Amino acid sequence: YTLNNQDTSSTSSNNTVTITINESLTNNTFYSLFEAYYNDASEENENKLGEHINTIDYLIGIIPDENTIINDTHTQLTVKAMDDLNFLISTTEEREVFLPAFTDMRELQRWYTEPVYTLKVPAEWLWKFVLNQNNLSGIVFNPASIGWDISLEHIQSLLEDLK
């Protein structure tokens, strides 16, 4: 996958890619639109929220393996071919697996208190990534606060709305 819209072609000859990590992110409009929808689940509020979640970036938590090289400022990591890049996951009591996506670092830290690296990814990348995984049932937004599960069918619909 191409991460963060970075051109990885320059590093392909040595089978490594350098990725920007731990970028800051705020999504204040998300909270106001979600609250409006939560208080009044009208079609208008649903449409506004749906349009907005397709336009913002999200943080996803990653835990690189021991072979991954992280620079001194913890702003870039270099992954080699065949290195593992582990993503945080969330499971339900029914053993469904969701990829947690966070609207800001505060939300991630509320849910996962251990040190973790983050990738900032656009909505379209996130939708495509989740749809191409065999073991995910969807995405859960901000699991420590709103815990909003988005099914694969809904993700597909969001992706189609981008066209």
Side-chain angles (χ1 to χ4, degrees), residues 30 33-34 37 45-53 148:
F30 171 84
L33 291 173
F34 184 83
Y37 176 71
N45 286 341
E46 179 181 3
N47 289 339
K48 285 180 184 177
L49 180 59
E51 288 172 14
H52 185 71
I53 64 174
W148 183 20

Side-chain angles (χ1 to χ4, degrees), residues 43-149:
E43 185 175 343
E44 178 184 0
N45 286 341
E46 179 181 3
N47 289 339
K48 285 180 184 177
L49 180 59
E51 288 172 14
H52 185 71
I53 64 174
N54 256 346
T55 63
I56 62 176
D57 291 334
Y58 299 92
L59 293 178
I60 52 177
I62 58 167
I63 302 172
D65 75 6
E66 65 276 355
N67 297 321
T68 303
I69 300 166
I70 300 170
N71 71 349
D72 292 340
T73 59
H74 295 269
T75 58
Q76 292 187 324
L77 63 81
T78 301
V79 182
K80 297 176 187 154
M82 306 309 288
D83 281 354
D84 288 330
L85 194 60
N86 300 299
F87 293 88
L88 297 181
I89 59 169
S90 176
T91 58
T92 66
E93 290 179 7
E94 294 80 23
R95 297 185 184 258
E96 293 177 303
V97 179
F98 288 82
L99 181 70
F102 303 91
T103 53
D104 57 53
M105 191 62 176
R106 179 180 51 96
E107 286 288 348
L108 188 148
Q109 290 170 338
R110 286 175 68 184
W111 184 72
Y112 192 79
T113 58
E114 298 295 319
V116 65
Y117 297 102
T118 59
L119 292 177
K120 184 169 89 172
V121 298
E124 183 175 9
W125 185 95
L126 184 59
W127 307 157
K128 289 178 179 178
F129 177 78
V130 170
L131 289 171
N132 283 306
Q133 303 307 303
N134 294 328
N135 60 341
L136 294 175
S137 298
I139 295 170
V140 57
F141 289 128
N142 298 338
S145 60
I146 61 174
W148 183 20
D149 294 346

Side-chain angles (χ1 to χ4, degrees), residues 1-9 17 19 121-122 125-126 129:
Y1 291 98
T2 304
L3 295 174
N4 298 339
N5 297 320
Q6 296 179 17
D7 179 12
T8 58
S9 58
V17 61
I19 304 165
V121 298
W125 185 95
L126 184 59
F129 177 78

